[in-house]
Amino acid sequence: MSASSRRIGPVVLVLGLLAAGCPKPPVEAVPEHWCPEGFEPGQGDVCFAMPMERGPGTAIVVYLHGELEGHGRPEEWAAARSATVHGFAVVLPRGRRGLCDWKPELKNHFCWPQDAADTTEMHNVTAEWDHTLWQVNELLEAGPHPRFVLGYSNGAAFAHHLARTGAFKADGYALLSGGAPITEASSAEAHPPILLLGHENDAGQVSKSKELHESLNREKWPNQSCTRPGEHGLAGDDVDAALRFFRHEPVATKGGFVCDGTLPAPPAEPRPPEKAKKKK
């Protein structure tokens, strides 16, 4: 066989395979970015939003949504994003599909783990937030920055589990329209302050929050309970109350916190020390 025939042979073979329908390499699916308006995609199913003004005192709020269908309700995301107006960065993870198994119609919703004894699953879920939390911390610069957890409804119940097990380290928690007493003893080394915020016309949750408040008091766990007008839901005023609790944490745990009030301005960035004037 001549040299030219040896060179042509492989080319003809390749063309023949292509003509015969040789399978193409699989095309990787483009990842779905579910992030609501005003949020940027982080890693995986985690989104984030940054405040316009930031500094060394800027804190990070991890918002845990309620039962989530599809891409969720714009009103809930707007309420969560309102924290950025008050100088907080917001990290928004998404729960897992299939964990809302208490009702058949919720089987395709996204929810959070509810087994208080399954700390492995809790750690697995929160580990998915790590990269985006690191990313936000780096964008804020001059860290590390304080971080808090704000959970609503099903997310509030999960936030309570995180606090009691120490599966996620935070400087404070706010449970909005969710959470209930847990019989298992807390395994957390630290007891970050917890805000329990419910609504007058949410009868089922009001009684649970009252029991949880009494349970936390028996454990000498710093907490504050508030009941505001309205029904089960999440509004900007609820988020404002949580942010005031986070910002005034030392006062809040000593009974000085009030459910309604004016949110103070974010902490100002420290000014550099003035240079001493030279004497003439």
Side-chain angles (χ1 to χ4, degrees):
M1 182 182 291
S2 66
S4 60
S5 298
R6 287 196 300 270
R7 287 194 298 270
I8 292 171
V11 175
V12 173
L13 177 61
V14 170
L15 292 174
L17 288 172
L18 290 174
C22 184
K24 297 178 181 178
V27 177
E28 291 186 6
V30 177
E32 175 200 6
H33 290 310
W34 73 280
C35 298
E37 182 181 355
F39 288 87
E40 300 292 330
Q43 186 180 57
D45 266 357
V46 186
C47 313
F48 67 93
M50 302 293 289
M52 291 296 293
E53 297 182 7
R54 62 196 76 164
T58 303
I60 301 170
V61 172
V62 177
Y63 176 72
L64 304 180
H65 59 72
E67 300 163 1
L68 174 61
E69 180 181 13
H71 285 197
R73 298 179 301 107
E75 307 83 42
E76 181 176 355
W77 307 138
R81 194 176 66 250
S82 68
T84 63
V85 178
H86 300 296
F88 290 79
V90 180
V91 170
L92 176 64
R94 181 164 67 168
R96 293 184 174 178
R97 193 191 299 273
L99 293 182
C100 317
D101 55 2
W102 52 87
K103 288 183 181 179
E105 59 269 28
L106 300 179
K107 65 179 181 179
N108 289 321
H109 286 47
F110 293 85
C111 282
W112 303 102
Q114 297 301 302
D115 185 353
D118 192 349
T119 55
T120 299
E121 186 174 28
M122 292 184 202
H123 283 288
N124 290 339
V125 169
T126 58
E128 297 173 357
W129 313 344
D130 286 346
H131 183 85
T132 305
L133 284 165
W134 169 84
Q135 182 181 359
V136 170
N137 201 68
E138 290 297 304
L139 289 171
L140 291 174
E141 300 180 348
H145 294 265
R147 64 187 191 186
F148 302 93
V149 176
L150 194 166
Y152 164 63
S153 191
N154 173 251
F158 183 53
H160 182 213
H161 295 336
L162 295 179
R164 293 190 65 80
T165 59
F168 184 76
K169 306 301 182 187
D171 297 283
Y173 285 82
L175 314 184
L176 309 186
S177 299
I182 297 176
T183 55
E184 293 86 354
S186 169
S187 56
E189 295 179 2
H191 286 183
I194 296 176
L195 171 67
L196 309 174
L197 194 150
H199 296 88
E200 293 174 352
N201 298 331
D202 187 7
Q205 185 55 46
V206 167
S207 59
K208 291 178 183 177
S209 294
K210 182 180 179 182
E211 292 176 20
L212 177 54
H213 175 55
E214 294 170 351
S215 171
L216 291 171
N217 284 343
R218 287 193 295 272
E219 294 180 278
K220 296 182 169 33
W221 192 305
N223 75 98
Q224 185 74 35
S225 180
C226 289
T227 304
R228 304 184 70 250
E231 301 179 354
H232 185 93
L234 179 73
D237 290 345
D238 301 326
V239 175
D240 287 353
L243 300 182
R244 287 189 294 105
F245 182 80
F246 295 155
R247 192 163 284 161
H248 281 169
E249 175 259 315
V251 176
T253 57
K254 295 178 182 178
F257 179 78
V258 291
C259 296
D260 296 295
T262 303
L263 191 70
E269 194 167 343
R271 302 167 99 187
E274 294 183 5
K275 294 181 180 179
K277 294 181 180 180
K278 294 183 179 179
K279 292 183 180 180
K280 294 183 180 179

